[in-house]
Amino acid sequence: MYPRAFRYERAKSLDHAIELLAKYKEDVRPLAGGMSLIPLAKLRLVSPQCIVDIGRLEELKGIKEQKDFLEIGALTTNTEILESSWLGEKFHLLLDTAKEIGDVQVRNRGTIGGNLAQADSSTDWPATMVALRAKLVSKGPRGEKVHEIDSFYSDQYTTALEADELLTHIRIPKPGSYSAGASHVKLERRKGDYAIGIVSAQLEVDGDGKVTSAGIGIGAVGITAVRGTKVEELLNGKKVDDAVLASVPGAARASLEGSDILSDIKAPAVYRLDVIGTLASRCVGEAYHMAVSRKSARSER
Amino acid sequence: MTESVTLHREETKNVKWVGSRYPRKEDLRFVTGNGMYASDIRIPGLAHVAIARSPYASAKIKGIDKSKALEVPGVVAVFTGEEIVAELDPLPNLLPSPYDKVKDYGIAVDRVRYAGEPIAVVVAESNYAAWDAVEQLEVDYEPLSPVLTAKSGCEKGAPLVHENVPTNVVWQRKFTYGDVDEVFKTADLVVSKKFKWHRFTSAPLEPNVVVVDYDKRHVIFNIWSNNQRPAFNQAAIAKALRIDANRLHFISPDIGGGFGIKNENYPYIILLAVAARRIGRPVRWIETRTEHMVASAHGSEINYEGEMAFSRDGKILGLRAKAYHDEGAYMRREPIAAFNFIRHATLTYTFRNLEMDIYAVVTNKCPVGPNRSYGKMQQGFLVERLLELGAKKLGIDPIEIRLRNFVSSEQMPYETPTGAILDGGDYSRALKKVLENMDYAALVKERDRLRSEGKLAGVGISMGMDACPINFSSNRLINPKSTASGESEAAWVKIDEDGNISAAVGTSPQGHGHETVVSQIVADVLGVHPEQVYALPGFDSWTHPSTPHSGTYASRFAIAGASAVNEAARRVRGKVLRIAAFALKEDVENLELADGSVVSTKGKGKVPLKEVARLAWRDLANLPEDEEPGLYSNVIYKTPFKLPIDSQRGNFSLTYSYSACVVLLEIDPGTGVSRVKRVGIVEDAGNQINPLIVEGQVHGQMGHQLGAALYEDLVYDEAGQLLTATFKDYLAPTASDLPSYETGSIVVPSLFTPLGTRGTGEGGGAPLIACANAMDDALLPLGVEYDSSYLSPIKIRELVKSASGK
Amino acid sequence: MSRIQAIVNGRKVEADVEPRKLLIDFIREDLGLTGPHIGCDTSNCGACTVLYNGRAIKSCTMFAVQADGAEILTIEGVSTDGKLHPLQQAFHENHALQCGYCTPGMIMSSIDLLTRNPNPTEEEIRLGISGNLCRCTGYHNIVKAISSVAKSHIFVSPLKKAKEE
Ligand SMILES: Cc1cc2nc3c(=O)[nH]c(=O)nc-3n(C[C@H](O)[C@H](O)[C@H](O)COP(=O)(O)OP(=O)(O)OC[C@H]3O[C@@H](n4cnc5c(N)ncnc54)[C@H](O)[C@@H]3O)c2cc1C
Ligand code: FES
Ligand code: FES
């Protein structure tokens, strides 16, 4: 397919990018990896008058460990994350998530910032960021802002960003202990597809195996990624045994109450709401198992 | 960079090339990116075509305003359906009167009949500009209410898809063989079930492409396309264009997969021909994937109401079924899919009582057309599913029940109730072999282990049959006025004055390796290496021989194509030997052709082929008196076919290749998602000219069939919009979604073909059907029966939930 | 129109392109390299796969202007010194192609895979080519071909070669 004509501007720096976005604010889109924007443009479903190519902004690339958090540049590709195996120790969930995205070609181009800015709850990063309680840093003509992930999305394809603002970095708090367990469970109809159900979890446990901190993100069910509040409440302070696991599906569904539910040809709303229970208990089970075994591996050392 | 690349081959001497796993000759250009597909053709002055399509399933076109479209920069011309059709006659169809009046021009005039139907042709300097103009076309539609299922189309008072014919049921016939009512009355068991055969498509990776250059100096249309049987289609195209067929010059270069669908791009050839003639420039249309999904040729969609009668000991006594075929909006090749049950209606089994009541119904959906295993897998599904249900009810093992019903090898050739003459084979050996290859006992154990882990799991077995090629006299059963019968293929083989060997066939392969197979056949006959044979690629109606049946469809190459080229090579060989005999003063009987020379077995010397060629073409005074110069033979092979026996019986295919398939299916009850854990198949294609290629065809069937069973479904909404119109929503499986295949074969040569080969390639649908049977086995513990050819996770999950709620 | 420069298969190319022109159209129509193909509208099929600065990408999902300054390798640049690349040879020997339409993209993805993971498992091979659809082979022989190259340790990246030329 063939996109409509547009004006192309290549940003030379972050400030230049913001300047360009502000200039064409009425009808402009930044272009990162293009894995969402270009397919939409080809089908002529999205046709901005101007596209600002931010692909070369080195200041938005790379992963850095800061004192209290991990900082990922918005233009870091899924492949770069996946190939940063050192993340496995403290941020295993990032690797689990990156590997689920699309296929190698999509991962090579697609960026974490573009994924989050696309605000499609069927993609993998939003749910994971909810689980990790990430903060998203943006910059625009009015300066820098820091957004809590929980308030970043207001609707499908809608974020807290203005048209002239860019997502610049993602900040991920370090887990309190090194023994966080993680799991990213994605249900897809075919390998590499957008999900029809995602549960992303990071759990920390104490020496007794009691959950000290739980982060649960649910994607591809609500029109935005949703925090599994009820699941978190259920798990906190508990050992996750079969009885607890049996309550997870209900808690996951309860967390979605009040959300508008996605429904399409791949999966109607009823199905999504139904299977998310299965996915949630699997995800929590896996993350808990990992947390406990990591904890005991540590204490043996 | 790539120009001087060579393939490495083992040097082998004195082998029979036919029968060897000879790696393909055509690969070299494909692996280096040098394939020549229709979209790779470059012609100076080329203009680009985009086709405007209807957004409605059914609507009146009240007017088209093209003024804005014409203003788009780069636009050359815009032709509405009305303007195009002014230069056309309608395309013919197969239907008996009055349904032959269904008008089809490949483009809508005043009424659109499916979402995606062409309504205008836009020509521009680039594809980008052409699509810009399509967006600017202003069309005034008056939407009508669409007919979206075969059943609703049959109802009294249903809106008419074609207003000039009396009903939407454009073809209906009940075929009855034996004493069906009686056996159903007296049977020990009758199982009956409604099944849904879902709509899917073989979707070749390369979409349709047509390039037309109108040469007004010679009054010739030069047509490059990926049509898989241009010679077959040329009469219809010429008639529509109101010109003589010898004014059409067809070139089908390399084709990126066809699977039947690419028989059906001929309406676009007509549209492009009109556009090329009107603007006086070559034009090119490259179908987008979305266009391919909404408007090429879907596979058939059927509602079956089936019944099978059994005796207590598991003998099938009879089959009775109603089949409602949703044919889509135009009857291009149809009702062949609906009719094709007749080719092997009873599959591999001996039952003699059969009634098939067929309804071909037009609807406001994409037209149905040939798709791999066209009409064959559907009949297999009906028979095998009912057989499976019967086995369960009778408490007979699924293997045992099949063994009890097989036509045995001693009964071959076996005439079925519909008049098909099975050409040999050993069905029980094939089934036993696949069970042995797969270690059936272990498979069942694995299933039980999965079940004990809380999974749903099932083992499914199925036979499949691929009847081919087509005896066109079968058309007389659709329309008594049809005059065709039999089928044929053409080939030539030539040794030029320097001893170079060339060969050409009228088939237009789409990845079938005909260049390799032709080379193997000719190499054996002429005693040379396959690399010494140049088999012409693709199809060009000016250089390749052809007949009105030429093309690659209906798994026909190993019968018609192979036989034609084999015979042409044999005739050239005969002449080579006669000329050599004359030169050596030796009897022809004492001569052999080997390693590029004719050798006397009695020690009277040898003549190189090159020398024979020189004699034949240049040294004419030294030829035997009565010998025509040259080494060239052009053969038209007639597949030995007869007229129908009566109005509902006949042998409409020559060979009946078959396969036995076993599947282990695992279902996650928590999500309803199923996965094939293991799959094995044993196929009998008779003698295999190239087992490597035959195996590849079997793999291809697997990919298509497992894809269709688990992933691929064409879904329309209640307004008649196709919801699965891209590869994002139409789930063509990836390598990660499919298992590896455990393939095997047995060889029982065909009794009826010169080389003992059976047509193969399309396959009989066994993997898909085995999946459906495995699904039934998996759901057995829940006490539910599955009723569809598509294993939708959503539906499975519903069944699981309703069963656990019980 | 925007002016772009790129190194394609070791050769420098320069052209004016409309910003909306997709990289695949630039490669096929402007450069005449018709090895990479188009099989879909939604970035699913991978027939258009090329190496872009050494990594497999879908050239239908990039604008040609974005490729300014990049190094691109298409299937046409994979074989060197008149010899097929081991993957090309293996695809041939294992009958890993039928119509050949997916083959150029498949080989480019396989190069990306084996460059990063010289000893992939069957599952990893299948994942590695999961961005490339094939409708003819059912993938069986493609997996076999890639695996045979990995097992015999004959893979060399064609990238270095392209650079040297
Ligand atoms: C075949 C295929 C399969 C896929 N499968 C998956 C999958 O399984 N899981 C998954 O998670 N995703 C999947 N994706 C989507 C993929 O991850 C995309 O890369 C991602 O959604 C967008 O990232 P991008 O860098 O390509 O962004 P782009 O497409 O460049 O941009 C996306 C949107 O965000 C805006 N934007 C980009 N960067 C910024 C920024 N820094 N600040 C503000 N706005 C910005 C753009 O203007 C645009 O509107 C798939 C895509 C394809 C083509
Ligand atoms: S054409 Fe690029 S992915 Fe299909
Ligand atoms: S070989 Fe035809 S699509 Fe792969």
Side-chain angles (χ1 to χ4, degrees):
Chain A
M1 294 293 277
Y2 312 91
R4 292 197 190 105
F6 55 81
R7 182 186 181 87
Y8 174 83
E9 297 281 356
R10 186 179 297 151
K12 296 189 186 73
S13 64
L14 179 55
D15 289 339
H16 183 220
I18 291 162
E19 213 173 279
L20 287 167
L21 290 172
K23 184 168 163 199
Y24 298 101
K25 191 171 176 181
E26 297 313 311
D27 195 5
V28 67
R29 290 281 185 125
L31 173 64
M35 293 299 107
S36 291
L37 185 58
I38 298 178
L40 290 168
K42 283 168 70 181
L43 297 172
R44 302 192 172 208
L45 296 171
V46 168
S47 300
Q49 186 216 330
C50 176
I51 283 182
V52 175
D53 183 354
I54 58 170
R56 295 172 192 228
L57 303 183
E58 291 305 322
E59 58 247 71
L60 300 192
K61 293 181 187 173
I63 311 170
K64 276 185 234 112
E65 204 170 341
Q66 309 285 15
K67 191 158 158 285
D68 300 323
F69 53 81
L70 184 78
E71 188 169 75
I72 307 178
L75 283 175
T76 310
T77 66
N78 296 303
T79 298
E80 281 156 2
I81 295 173
L82 196 54
E83 291 180 354
S84 306
S85 50
W86 58 271
L87 290 172
E89 183 150 6
K90 288 178 240 167
F91 303 97
H92 207 276
L93 193 52
L94 297 176
L95 300 182
D96 293 342
T97 306
K99 88 173 169 9
E100 287 300 326
I101 290 174
D103 48 55
V104 64
Q105 296 99 314
V106 168
R107 289 192 297 272
N108 282 344
R109 291 290 299 156
T111 67
I112 186 168
N115 191 301
L116 290 167
Q118 179 65 20
D120 178 349
S121 115
S122 306
T123 68
D124 289 275
W125 284 119
T128 293
M129 291 305 150
V130 169
L132 294 174
R133 297 191 156 78
K135 292 187 196 323
L136 308 184
V137 185
S138 69
K139 196 169 175 195
R142 296 160 298 281
E144 198 175 275
K145 288 185 202 159
V146 179
H147 311 260
E148 296 294 332
I149 185 72
D150 285 345
S151 56
F152 189 64
Y153 297 117
S154 50
D155 199 346
Q156 211 171 0
Y157 314 123
T158 316
T159 68
L161 299 177
E162 302 278 334
D164 55 4
E165 288 174 329
L166 279 180
L167 181 60
T168 58
H169 294 91
I170 295 115
R171 289 182 189 159
I172 297 170
K174 286 187 183 167
S177 67
Y178 285 105
S179 52
S183 171
H184 185 80
V185 171
K186 172 187 181 188
L187 182 65
E188 56 197 350
R189 275 294 278 121
R190 169 184 57 178
K191 190 63 224 162
D193 276 2
Y194 288 88
I196 52 175
I198 300 172
V199 183
S200 211
Q202 179 169 286
L203 299 182
E204 292 174 52
V205 294
D206 63 15
D208 299 331
K210 286 196 185 122
V211 173
T212 54
S213 141
I216 307 284
I218 299 175
V221 186
I223 54 168
T224 67
V226 166
R227 175 167 302 283
T229 329
K230 298 281 190 268
V231 184
E232 292 175 356
E233 283 167 15
L234 171 73
L235 301 180
N236 270 324
K238 288 208 195 83
K239 280 188 172 182
V240 180
D241 54 15
D242 285 354
V244 173
L245 274 184
S247 309
V248 168
R253 280 181 210 115
S255 310
L256 285 154
E257 244 161 55
S259 300
D260 287 333
I261 305 299
L262 293 170
S263 196
D264 64 14
I265 174 64
K266 277 189 195 159
V270 209
Y271 177 82
R272 288 179 195 253
L273 269 177
D274 167 24
V275 297
I276 200 68
T278 307
L279 307 183
S281 57
R282 281 181 196 165
C283 178
V284 168
E286 279 174 23
Y288 182 72
H289 178 76
M290 180 170 162
V292 171
S293 48
R294 280 188 154 194
K295 185 88 195 172
S296 57
R298 276 214 172 253
S299 41
E300 272 162 30
R301 256 189 240 164
Chain B
M1 280 187 300
T2 52
E3 292 77 20
S4 56
V5 174
T6 50
L7 290 175
H8 306 291
R9 286 197 188 276
E10 297 292 320
E11 267 306 316
T12 23
K13 276 212 167 130
N14 298 328
V15 284
K16 269 285 226 177
W17 297 109
V18 169
S20 70
R21 297 172 70 88
Y22 194 81
R24 300 193 323 168
K25 293 174 71 172
E26 41 275 84
D27 289 350
L28 177 61
R29 64 176 182 274
F30 295 131
V31 297
T32 53
N34 287 306
M36 174 52 88
Y37 300 89
S39 56
D40 301 340
I41 304 289
R42 295 292 174 272
I43 307 173
L46 191 67
H48 303 260
V49 167
I51 291 176
R53 293 173 187 277
S54 165
Y56 294 103
S58 180
K60 276 193 188 135
I61 300 180
K62 292 164 63 183
I64 301 181
D65 180 354
K66 55 185 195 180
S67 52
K68 275 199 190 144
L70 285 168
E71 282 167 19
V72 170
V75 166
V76 177
V78 178
F79 303 110
T80 63
E82 197 175 350
E83 290 167 294
I84 298 259
V85 162
E87 301 186 22
L88 292 178
D89 280 342
L91 290 159
N93 71 31
L94 285 174
L95 299 171
S97 173
Y99 295 97
D100 55 342
K101 294 191 185 59
V102 164
K103 277 214 181 91
D104 179 10
Y105 295 97
I107 190 162
V109 182
D110 42 18
R111 168 127 184 235
V112 290
R113 298 186 172 84
Y114 65 99
E117 182 169 6
I119 56 137
V121 173
V122 173
V123 192
E125 298 296 346
S126 75
N127 282 323
Y128 292 78
W131 281 97
D132 291 347
V134 165
E135 283 191 309
Q136 296 303 320
L137 266 185
E138 288 175 317
V139 188
D140 187 7
Y141 291 103
E142 180 189 322
L144 303 169
S145 69
V147 174
L148 295 170
T149 63
K151 275 298 192 55
S152 66
C154 292
E155 278 162 18
K156 268 225 168 76
L160 286 178
V161 175
H162 293 273
E163 57 288 346
N164 61 339
V165 294
T167 73
N168 293 321
V169 185
V170 292
W171 188 73
Q172 192 278 324
R173 251 202 93 173
K174 191 196 271 189
F175 295 82
T176 310
Y177 311 88
D179 200 346
V180 182
D181 292 342
E182 181 59 27
V183 295
F184 272 86
K185 235 183 268 158
T186 55
D188 295 326
L189 171 76
V190 172
V191 291
S192 45
K193 181 101 188 148
K194 289 185 180 170
F195 295 108
K196 173 76 195 270
W197 178 270
H198 75 297
R199 198 176 257 254
F200 58 90
T201 166
S202 318
L205 194 60
E206 176 204 37
N208 288 308
V209 178
V210 178
V211 181
V212 180
D213 187 13
Y214 178 64
D215 172 353
K216 76 173 176 219
R217 187 178 299 123
H218 304 104
V219 196
I220 290 284
F221 288 96
N222 292 304
I223 301 162
W224 293 261
S225 77
N226 45 19
N227 191 282
Q228 64 185 77
R229 52 177 184 191
F232 182 106
N233 286 320
Q234 74 175 2
I237 294 170
K239 189 171 171 294
L241 287 170
R242 301 174 189 153
I243 55 157
D244 295 335
N246 60 2
R247 298 294 161 163
L248 299 171
H249 174 203
F250 288 103
I251 303 121
S252 287
D254 292 327
I255 299 181
F259 317 119
I261 297 177
K262 284 184 184 153
N263 295 320
E264 299 301 279
N265 55 28
Y266 61 91
Y268 294 107
I269 293 180
I270 295 159
L271 305 186
L272 277 264
V274 171
R277 187 165 57 189
R278 286 284 290 271
I279 67 163
R281 278 175 65 177
V283 289
R284 180 178 82 177
W285 170 68
I286 301 178
E287 187 184 49
T288 65
R289 175 58 52 190
T290 310
E291 292 178 285
H292 186 84
M293 300 312 283
V294 299
S296 57
H298 287 175
S300 40
E301 178 176 352
I302 314 166
N303 286 300
Y304 281 119
E305 295 170 9
E307 289 182 291
M308 194 173 260
F310 294 88
S311 69
R312 197 163 296 117
D313 60 354
K315 274 287 210 186
I316 309 172
L317 302 175
L319 167 68
R320 185 156 64 185
K322 277 198 165 81
Y324 295 91
H325 285 255
D326 174 345
E327 300 281 20
Y330 292 93
M331 300 292 280
R332 289 188 176 145
R333 226 43 86 171
E334 296 323 294
I336 289 191
F339 168 79
N340 259 358
F341 83 89
I342 205 164
R343 297 185 188 283
H344 60 227
T346 48
L347 226 65
T348 48
Y349 306 112
T350 51
F351 65 96
R352 314 272 329 156
N353 304 299
L354 173 74
E355 182 181 289
M356 293 291 299
D357 192 4
I358 314 279
Y359 295 77
V361 188
V362 284
T363 61
N364 293 109
K365 283 148 94 172
C366 173
V368 161
N371 265 262
R372 191 175 202 161
S373 200
Y374 184 42
K376 308 177 199 179
M377 55 188 170
Q378 291 86 345
Q379 183 69 7
F381 176 79
L382 178 68
V383 171
E384 285 282 329
R385 288 294 292 119
L386 287 168
L387 178 58
E388 193 73 15
L389 297 181
K392 257 193 219 161
K393 288 255 156 64
L394 291 164
I396 302 176
D397 179 82
I399 301 160
E400 183 53 33
I401 200 161
R402 286 177 172 82
L403 293 175
R404 285 184 202 174
N405 284 287
F406 279 148
V407 174
S408 73
S409 50
E410 294 82 54
Q411 288 170 288
M412 297 289 180
Y414 175 87
E415 184 170 330
T416 75
T418 63
I421 301 171
L422 303 180
D423 65 318
D426 191 340
Y427 305 145
S428 51
R429 180 143 68 93
L431 178 56
K432 284 176 189 156
K433 183 156 180 191
V434 74
L435 297 172
E436 185 188 309
N437 288 356
M438 296 283 286
D439 191 351
Y440 184 68
L443 208 65
V444 171
K445 235 189 222 157
E446 173 65 6
R447 174 196 68 188
D448 296 343
R449 189 188 65 77
L450 289 166
R451 283 181 182 171
S452 71
E453 281 179 0
K455 295 250 167 64
L456 291 168
V459 172
I461 292 173
S462 176
M463 302 299 291
M465 194 173 255
D466 187 358
C468 46
I470 302 169
N471 174 357
F472 282 95
S473 74
S474 53
N475 285 357
R476 295 174 190 215
L477 271 54
I478 297 172
N479 184 349
K481 290 219 175 108
S482 165
T483 51
S485 66
E487 73 118 42
S488 64
E489 187 54 271
W492 58 248
V493 171
K494 177 177 169 181
I495 305 181
D496 73 12
E497 63 197 274
D498 290 327
N500 303 309
I501 303 168
S502 320
V505 199
T507 57
S508 316
Q510 312 115 46
H512 301 84
H514 291 180
E515 289 162 52
T516 303
V517 176
V518 162
S519 300
Q520 286 176 269
I521 293 170
V522 174
D524 270 357
V525 176
L526 297 181
V528 295
H529 193 284
E531 298 301 310
Q532 287 168 268
V533 180
Y534 176 62
L536 270 63
F539 177 79
D540 180 326
S541 59
W542 283 1
T543 55
H544 291 55
S546 67
T547 77
H549 309 117
S550 285
T552 294
Y553 58 94
S555 303
R556 61 191 292 277
F557 179 81
I559 300 159
S563 300
V565 76
N566 187 50
E567 183 53 28
R570 278 166 40 92
R571 290 187 193 175
V572 169
R573 174 194 165 94
K575 193 161 181 183
V576 164
L577 293 182
R578 289 198 303 276
I579 295 172
F582 188 75
L584 289 171
K585 305 200 170 43
E586 171 62 293
D587 286 343
V588 167
E589 297 76 61
N590 297 333
L591 293 179
E592 246 174 25
L593 244 173
D595 293 334
S597 289
V598 184
V599 193
S600 158
T601 50
K602 302 280 186 227
K604 286 205 193 164
K606 68 180 199 178
V607 210
L609 209 50
K610 212 175 151 93
E611 175 61 8
V612 178
R614 190 190 61 80
L615 285 165
W617 291 104
R618 288 201 170 270
D619 198 357
L620 304 186
N622 268 324
L623 279 184
E625 198 67 352
D626 52 355
E627 199 71 75
E628 225 178 65
L631 288 174
Y632 174 80
S633 171
N634 193 346
V635 165
I636 296 181
Y637 171 82
K638 178 173 90 167
T639 309
F641 277 131
K642 299 204 171 76
L643 290 172
I645 301 168
D646 56 33
S647 69
Q648 57 166 14
R649 287 186 308 144
N651 188 26
F652 300 131
S653 296
L654 187 69
T655 71
Y656 298 83
S657 67
Y658 56 93
S659 52
C661 182
V662 183
V663 160
L664 171 64
L665 193 74
E666 178 193 85
I667 303 156
D668 174 358
T671 59
V673 172
S674 44
R675 224 189 135 83
V676 174
K677 295 275 286 186
R678 283 184 65 197
V679 57
I681 194 165
V682 163
E683 154 122 4
D684 180 4
N687 287 335
Q688 302 181 7
I689 302 172
N690 187 329
L692 191 65
I693 291 179
V694 172
E695 196 176 271
Q697 290 297 315
V698 175
H699 291 163
Q701 291 161 23
M702 280 282 194
H704 266 129
Q705 298 272 307
L706 299 181
L710 272 66
Y711 298 97
E712 303 177 25
D713 189 16
L714 289 164
V715 186
Y716 283 87
D717 69 9
E718 50 303 339
Q721 297 296 329
L722 184 67
L723 299 176
T724 49
T726 66
F727 273 161
K728 184 161 176 267
D729 296 317
Y730 187 77
L731 306 177
T734 73
S736 292
D737 301 305
L738 294 173
S740 61
Y741 314 134
E742 301 168 56
T743 51
S745 64
I746 64 171
V747 175
V748 181
S750 169
L751 298 169
F752 302 142
T753 55
L755 298 171
T757 50
R758 264 188 203 99
T760 189
E762 286 196 72
L768 186 162
I769 308 164
C771 283
N773 282 339
M775 177 59 70
D776 236 24
D777 186 42
L779 296 180
L780 193 64
L782 301 181
V784 283
E785 269 177 8
Y786 208 70
D787 61 357
S788 164
S789 51
Y790 177 60
L791 315 182
S792 145
I794 293 150
K795 191 161 166 196
I796 294 168
R797 177 67 192 157
E798 272 169 22
L799 288 175
V800 171
K801 279 197 342 187
S802 67
S804 60
K806 264 184 208 162
Chain C
M1 289 286 180
S2 309
R3 185 126 197 105
I4 59 165
Q5 266 189 21
I7 311 278
V8 180
N9 298 338
R11 279 181 213 159
K12 198 168 152 188
V13 298
E14 232 181 311
D16 289 319
V17 294
E18 208 189 340
R20 63 167 160 170
K21 178 169 267 176
L22 298 168
L23 182 57
I24 183 68
D25 289 327
F26 176 67
I27 292 172
R28 286 180 52 83
E29 305 292 332
D30 297 4
L31 302 183
L33 296 168
T34 55
H37 297 135
I38 299 173
C40 73
D41 308 334
T42 47
S43 313
N44 287 92
C45 79
C48 60
T49 302
V50 301
L51 296 194
Y52 175 84
N53 293 335
R55 304 307 291 253
I57 60 124
K58 293 174 176 171
S59 64
C60 72
T61 318
M62 215 175 145
F63 297 115
V65 276
Q66 287 178 278
D68 187 18
E71 269 184 56
I72 293 167
L73 189 75
T74 73
I75 187 69
E76 285 94 338
V78 168
S79 48
T80 40
D81 309 331
K83 280 220 312 263
L84 291 181
H85 184 270
L87 276 165
Q88 293 172 314
Q89 183 71 24
F91 269 58
H92 165 61
E93 282 166 10
N94 290 283
H95 189 30
L97 60 147
Q98 290 181 26
C99 78
Y101 200 74
C102 69
T103 312
M106 281 287 177
I107 290 179
M108 300 322 277
S109 292
S110 310
I111 292 171
D112 186 303
L113 171 70
L114 294 185
T115 306
R116 285 172 304 137
N117 180 1
N119 296 305
T121 61
E122 178 181 333
E123 196 192 340
E124 287 167 340
I125 293 175
R126 286 181 181 272
L127 283 170
I129 56 167
S130 66
N132 295 73
L133 298 177
C134 174
R135 296 294 284 171
C136 296
T137 66
Y139 304 107
H140 185 100
N141 284 346
I142 296 177
V143 174
K144 207 165 129 191
I146 299 169
S147 158
S148 78
V149 171
K151 284 202 182 111
S152 48
H153 305 289
I154 47 175
F155 177 76
V156 275
S157 168
L159 289 163
K160 279 189 229 127
K161 284 275 186 182
K163 239 180 219 171
E164 284 161 18
E165 267 173 25

